[in-house]
Amino acid sequence: MAVLLAVLAGCIAEPADLVPETGPYTLTISATKMNEMTKALVEDTEHGTLWSRWTAGDVVSVYGGENLLGTLTAQSSGESTTLYGELTYPPQAGDELLLSCRTGDYGQQDGSLSTIAATCDYCTATVRVSGVSGNTVRVDAPAVFTSQQSIVKFTLKNKADSDNPLFVSPFYVGLGNQTLTVTPATATNVLYVAIPEHFETTGDDMPTGKNISLTAKGSDNKNYTLTRNDALLEKGKFYQVNASMNKAKIQSVTITNLGSHSSLVPTYVLGGKKVEEAR
């Protein structure tokens, strides 16, 4: 009997190890940042850097593999914060969780830091589950978030008149066969553009260059272009680019009297690879 009781005692889990079959399961994580562009963005013009801040209420999605387990919310504003929320399903001890803040809506931008921070400041972190006690999930370390894009500050000038700024709207940034459209509220010569990681080429150790094409409609209603080879862009970095743009040699193309053959006319977008093909 004594031996049997000892065996039974060894099979009974301690209360701290019991995991209820139903949620929610709470998770609290301290969140820090690895670089200068994790959340709300403020430029330090004196030192040429871009400072980041968490904003109370920022929402972070929690994934276990491809499954969305729940969301966390930033409890305060600042360079670091506490993320707190509830998970619908409990992870297991040793599981790696992906924390994702925004998915990155880069296609339509307005050239401002505030819009980048609100819509396409995509950053991620990973944490490992150290255990689950009752309805509480624990992780083994703070979450260190990394930006998944670079941000470029473009200051535009007319190459033919470099003493004067070039005010434009819209503005296009083309890399490869993809184009980002930037439409400021009013024509401006300073635009901030978030460029997602998949637009960039980075190796294991060093980034490799890509051709980058800039195209814009000036306030004089003329088109301006600039192409640079081997542009180096790394995620999590802030770049300042002074761009002296050239007036485009071809301003417009009009084809008339095609009749039934009008469907054969190729279409071109302003910006990116297709602009080069149109030339």
Side-chain angles (χ1 to χ4, degrees):
M1 181 63 70
V3 173
L4 178 60
L5 291 174
V7 171
L8 290 175
C11 296
I12 298 175
E14 293 294 327
D17 297 325
L18 295 176
V19 180
E21 293 183 359
T22 59
Y25 305 91
T26 61
L27 175 59
T28 304
I29 301 176
S30 297
T32 59
K33 60 187 180 65
M34 181 179 292
N35 53 65
E36 296 174 346
M37 298 191 313
T38 303
K39 295 307 310 124
L41 305 169
V42 179
E43 184 183 5
D44 179 351
T45 55
E46 180 180 354
H47 300 95
T49 57
L50 200 63
W51 296 99
S52 61
R53 299 288 188 272
W54 285 93
T55 301
D58 283 336
V59 177
V60 174
S61 299
V62 182
Y63 291 90
E66 296 182 355
N67 300 317
L68 176 63
L69 303 182
T71 59
L72 308 177
T73 303
Q75 301 300 298
S76 61
S77 301
E79 295 182 16
S80 61
T81 190
T82 296
L83 302 175
Y84 172 80
E86 297 178 342
L87 309 182
T88 304
Y89 306 99
Q92 303 294 318
D95 286 355
E96 188 172 80
L97 303 180
L98 172 66
L99 310 180
S100 175
C101 192
R102 300 193 176 92
T103 57
D105 181 12
Y106 299 94
Q108 300 293 328
Q109 302 183 41
D110 66 3
S112 69
L113 284 178
S114 58
T115 296
I116 291 175
T119 63
C120 53
D121 186 17
Y122 178 38
C123 58
T124 63
T126 57
V127 293
R128 190 172 299 278
V129 177
S130 59
V132 182
S133 301
N135 286 85
T136 302
V137 179
R138 303 187 308 274
V139 296
D140 58 7
V144 181
F145 280 78
T146 303
S147 294
Q148 300 303 308
Q149 70 277 310
S150 57
I151 295 179
V152 183
K153 177 184 179 181
F154 292 100
T155 301
L156 309 182
K157 290 187 176 182
N158 183 345
K159 188 173 183 178
D161 186 11
S162 58
D163 292 333
N164 293 316
L166 175 63
F167 292 88
V168 303
S169 182
F171 179 68
Y172 302 93
V173 179
L175 289 94
N177 60 357
Q178 300 184 72
T179 302
L180 295 178
T181 301
V182 183
T183 308
T186 57
T188 180
N189 73 310
V190 178
L191 303 108
Y192 296 86
V193 182
I195 298 179
E197 181 183 13
H198 66 268
F199 267 26
E200 304 160 18
T201 303
T202 54
D204 293 335
D205 299 313
M206 293 293 293
T208 57
K210 269 192 175 183
N211 296 340
I212 182 170
S213 299
L214 308 179
T215 309
K217 174 74 73 175
S219 55
D220 58 359
N221 208 36
K222 299 296 184 180
N223 296 327
Y224 291 83
T225 65
L226 178 65
T227 300
R228 284 291 179 265
N229 299 325
D230 297 326
L232 298 177
L233 297 174
E234 292 183 72
K235 65 180 182 180
K237 300 290 186 180
F238 174 51
Y239 299 89
Q240 299 186 71
V241 175
N242 294 317
S244 295
M245 302 187 69
N246 300 293
K247 187 176 294 186
K249 296 179 181 179
I250 299 176
Q251 291 295 332
S252 64
V253 176
T254 303
I255 302 176
T256 59
N257 300 322
L258 290 175
S260 61
H261 300 291
S262 59
S263 61
L264 301 178
V265 177
T267 58
Y268 295 96
V269 297
L270 192 65
K273 182 177 179 181
K274 291 187 176 181
V275 168
E276 300 303 316
E277 293 174 350
R279 289 182 178 179

